[in-house]
Amino acid sequence: MVFEKRQAGVLLPIFSLPSKYGIGTFGREAYNFIDKLKAGKQSYWQVLPHGPTGYGDSPYQPYSTFAGNPYFIDLEMLIEDGLLSREEVESCNWGENPSYVDYDAIAKNRFVMLRKAFENDKTYAESAEYKKFEKHNSYWLEDHCLYMALRDEKGTSWLNWEKGEKLREEEAMEAAKVRLATDIAYHKYMQFLFFKQWAALKAYANKNGIELIGDIPIYLSLDSSDVWSNKHLFDLKKDGSPKEVAGCPPDAFSKTGQLWGNPLYLWKVHKEENFHWWVSRMKAIFEMYDVVRIDHFRGFEKFYSIPAKDTTAENGKWKKGPGIDLFNAIKKELGNVKIIAEDLGTITPGVRKLLDETGYPGMKIMQFAFSKGVESEYLLHNHIKNCVVYAGTHDNQTSKGWYDSLTWEEKNYSGQYMMFYTEEWEKNRFIRHTLSSPANLVIVPVQDYLELGDEARINTPGTAVNNWKWRLQPEQFDDETCRYMDYVATLYYRDNKIIEKEKAEKEAAEKAAKELAEKENQTKE
């Protein structure tokens, strides 16, 4: 069992943290957030993927699965280090509405500031810390930074580059490295700052009894350094374009299915290479997080393959995935790491068998439970210890928004099941019901503790605008919220055990000091 004791955590993306400069970062507010989680006796903080984002700003379509998003580098820390002046940072437009990220403003100004910091930092490249970082991450860092420098130069994905650079011909690559040497160094510098700040934040969280849950998509963006530098691992044509792409078949929610467009893995090649690339990916992700949630777990048993020329997902076919072989390879290299399997949607017996073989906990979403006349697997009485229960996820409405959208019949049924009889939203009932689950781990989005509606929704699947934007305001997550989190975590035996440990150690130290003082006084007498 991955989670051995009853614990609780929250879901909040890094970009949703408060900050002065338009988007959440690894700065002071992140440390304050950890302090509040500890005060609320929480044990886990779940975030979304941290890769550098491109068009659409989705963390599930990053330019790299290994690299970090420079947007999260804290500018206040760079000011304190003398690499930027407060005046130049504050002179930038970071957006007009502090409750939502303005990605156009961020993209326009963030990289200007980071470039200035890079130009002002004259000694970083000679430091032992930087050399260690560069050596440790060389297996992805060189290719990623070359890719980003080329992409900046050309303003487009690698599919539109000249043949030599698209296909990574040696002469073209050597010329690019010389021509773009400064730009490559700049991108390396941003990755250095990202991982330096993140490592410090993670160490602080772990010291305070907070473990960090990361999230990785099963698929990669075609417009990524990973696909460009590892074409043989993907189902591509000679020119680099995909033969078939990922998605989901038609169902009750979509008559034409979902066409994601991600390139598919050549699992046969991965297996021949002992899943080396996937093991490297998981190793890197576990250096960043204590626990990892793998998105679209069912795709490892069978995946849906759609002809790349199609405009809908209607003509796709199911094909066999790597199955348990991949997870055996990960376990052999990394040991018994903590993995959460996103097993939502239509789950076949084959997927359930794979889940059982791995031993990973699946997910239960409380918002999915209340369809009158249907005994949903998400209802509380169907939960098991080895699963992770979510009030909702980043893809769902906030729980208040969800409840407000229910029909009268659905409200009536859910109210009876949770034992509250009112058509008005009751945060207390819903959160307490969720935390009372037999599951050892429960995750609640911060918006639910704050009773926020769909104005605070993170993402609406199938839409390309107004996602990944909502931001927490400093005054929203107050002491009263912390006390409530403390109360319900304690009530359902999910409190952060490090607090009791620290209290016991403090009491023991005080007792020892008192006994020593008494002994010294007796000696003097």
Side-chain angles (χ1 to χ4, degrees):
M1 191 178 297
V2 171
F3 302 101
E4 298 291 343
K5 55 189 177 182
R6 290 175 65 80
Q7 293 173 303
V10 301
L11 170 62
L12 186 78
I14 293 295
F15 61 74
S16 292
L17 288 167
S19 79
K20 293 172 61 177
Y21 306 125
I23 193 169
T25 70
F26 301 148
R28 189 185 309 277
E29 290 291 351
Y31 287 82
N32 290 342
F33 186 70
I34 290 169
D35 291 340
K36 289 177 178 178
L37 293 185
K38 182 180 179 182
K41 293 189 177 177
Q42 303 298 294
S43 301
Y44 288 92
W45 175 11
Q46 181 167 336
V47 295
L48 298 187
H50 280 168
T53 53
Y55 177 76
D57 310 303
S58 170
Y60 292 87
Q61 295 283 350
Y63 288 132
S64 170
T65 190
F66 294 96
N69 192 339
Y71 288 168
F72 300 153
I73 297 169
D74 186 63
L75 299 183
E76 281 287 338
M77 292 183 182
L78 302 186
I79 293 171
E80 293 169 5
D81 289 341
L83 299 173
L84 294 172
S85 72
R86 188 169 302 281
E87 292 74 21
E88 61 188 351
V89 174
E90 292 184 349
S91 69
C92 296
N93 171 26
W94 299 111
E96 303 301 322
N97 188 341
S99 294
Y100 299 96
V101 178
D102 182 339
Y103 282 103
D104 289 338
I106 297 295
K108 180 179 179 180
N109 294 301
R110 177 70 53 152
F111 293 114
V112 172
M113 291 297 102
L114 292 174
R115 186 81 183 206
K116 286 186 177 182
F118 164 68
E119 292 169 352
N120 290 335
D121 197 338
K122 307 297 184 182
T123 60
Y124 81 92
E126 299 305 316
S127 69
E129 185 179 22
Y130 177 78
K131 290 179 179 178
K132 181 180 179 181
F133 162 78
E134 193 175 29
K135 181 179 180 180
H136 182 70
N137 296 286
S138 60
Y139 64 98
W140 65 265
L141 185 65
E142 299 292 334
D143 282 327
H144 172 70
C145 294
L146 174 58
Y147 179 79
M148 294 307 295
L150 279 164
R151 203 184 186 290
D152 290 345
E153 179 185 55
K154 299 176 184 304
T156 185
S157 163
W158 63 273
L159 286 171
N160 301 316
W161 296 353
E162 291 80 7
K163 179 175 175 289
E165 291 159 344
K166 178 196 291 189
L167 302 182
R168 292 173 57 86
E169 294 175 356
E170 184 176 355
E171 185 177 344
M173 291 297 92
E174 292 304 316
K177 290 176 182 178
V178 173
R179 184 175 75 251
L180 301 172
T182 301
D183 296 326
I184 293 169
Y186 161 61
H187 281 283
K188 284 186 181 181
Y189 180 73
M190 287 195 291
Q191 292 304 310
F192 171 61
L193 293 179
F194 174 95
F195 283 99
K196 178 181 179 180
Q197 291 189 3
W198 173 256
L201 182 65
K202 182 180 184 296
Y204 185 79
N206 291 166
K207 178 183 175 183
N208 285 281
I210 309 296
E211 291 193 53
L212 298 169
I213 303 176
D215 194 348
I216 62 169
I218 180 176
Y219 293 120
L220 305 182
S221 170
L222 181 61
D223 184 9
S224 68
S225 57
D226 306 306
V227 177
W228 174 69
S229 59
N230 297 280
K231 297 183 188 70
H232 73 290
L233 297 176
F234 298 89
D235 192 10
L236 307 176
K237 299 176 183 176
K238 288 184 178 181
D239 65 357
S241 61
K243 296 177 183 177
E244 298 191 332
V245 295
C248 279
D251 56 21
F253 300 100
S254 175
K255 293 182 179 179
T256 60
Q258 297 180 40
L259 184 64
W260 299 338
N262 305 80
L264 297 170
Y265 298 105
L266 289 174
W267 285 117
K268 181 181 178 182
V269 177
H270 282 267
K271 187 172 183 177
E272 289 171 353
E273 297 184 0
N274 296 316
F275 300 103
H276 173 75
W277 183 89
W278 259 97
V279 169
S280 296
R281 185 187 191 192
M282 296 302 292
K283 184 177 181 180
I285 208 77
F286 273 104
E287 289 179 358
M288 290 189 66
Y289 309 108
D290 302 292
V291 184
V292 173
R293 188 197 83 126
I294 301 181
D295 196 42
H296 196 59
F297 184 79
R298 76 147 302 159
F300 295 106
E301 195 267 332
K302 286 183 181 177
F303 60 93
Y304 197 62
S305 179
I306 307 161
K309 61 180 177 56
D310 286 11
T311 56
T312 73
E314 295 170 279
N315 298 318
K317 294 181 180 179
W318 289 105
K319 296 184 178 181
K320 187 178 179 181
I324 194 62
D325 291 345
L326 169 62
F327 300 104
N328 285 340
I330 292 170
K331 183 177 181 179
K332 181 179 179 181
E333 184 70 22
L334 303 184
N336 291 314
V337 289
K338 294 181 179 180
I339 290 175
I340 300 169
E342 187 271 286
D343 60 341
L344 306 176
T346 303
I347 302 302
T348 65
V351 179
R352 295 190 189 282
K353 181 175 181 291
L354 179 59
L355 197 62
D356 289 341
E357 288 176 325
T358 63
Y360 302 154
M363 294 172 56
K364 307 290 185 187
I365 311 300
M366 290 309 305
Q367 290 182 20
F368 293 172
F370 303 106
S371 297
K372 188 175 181 181
V374 178
E375 189 187 4
S376 168
E377 64 178 291
Y378 301 113
L379 286 166
L380 203 67
H381 65 268
N382 286 324
H383 293 187
I384 60 175
K385 285 188 176 183
N386 191 34
C387 72
V388 182
V389 173
Y390 290 78
T393 74
H394 63 278
D395 280 336
N396 299 122
Q397 295 175 270
T398 66
S399 291
K400 183 179 185 302
W402 159 79
Y403 188 80
D404 289 343
S405 70
L406 294 181
T407 64
W408 181 88
E409 289 80 8
E410 290 168 330
K411 286 182 179 179
N412 183 54
Y413 173 64
S414 62
Q416 290 187 59
Y417 190 94
M418 292 186 283
M419 292 186 293
F420 68 94
Y421 306 99
T422 173
E423 290 189 31
E424 298 300 318
W425 168 247
E426 287 196 16
K427 169 193 76 172
N428 188 47
R429 293 285 188 181
F430 188 74
I431 288 179
R432 288 177 63 169
H433 179 78
T434 303
L435 289 169
S436 71
S437 168
N440 277 351
L441 179 58
V442 167
I443 302 291
V444 177
V446 168
Q447 299 96 306
D448 291 352
Y449 279 112
L450 302 178
E451 297 189 88
L452 299 177
D454 281 345
E455 74 280 0
R457 183 170 184 166
I458 297 295
N459 179 51
T460 303
T463 65
V465 296
N466 295 321
N467 296 317
W468 323 110
K469 290 186 174 184
W470 177 77
R471 298 180 64 208
L472 179 68
Q473 296 307 296
E475 67 278 3
Q476 287 179 301
F477 198 177
D478 56 15
D479 291 342
E480 182 180 350
T481 303
C482 290
R483 285 192 291 270
Y484 179 74
M485 293 171 74
D486 178 335
Y487 166 67
V488 291
T490 303
L491 181 66
Y492 294 105
Y493 295 92
R494 296 186 180 277
D495 49 311
N496 186 335
K497 303 304 178 185
I498 198 171
I499 297 174
E500 282 72 21
K501 181 182 177 182
E502 289 178 347
K503 183 179 179 182
E505 289 174 347
K506 182 179 179 182
E507 290 175 350
E510 290 174 348
K511 181 180 179 181
K514 183 179 179 181
E515 290 175 349
L516 179 61
E518 290 174 351
K519 186 175 181 180
E520 289 176 346
N521 287 334
Q522 291 174 358
T523 303
K524 290 178 182 179
E525 293 174 358

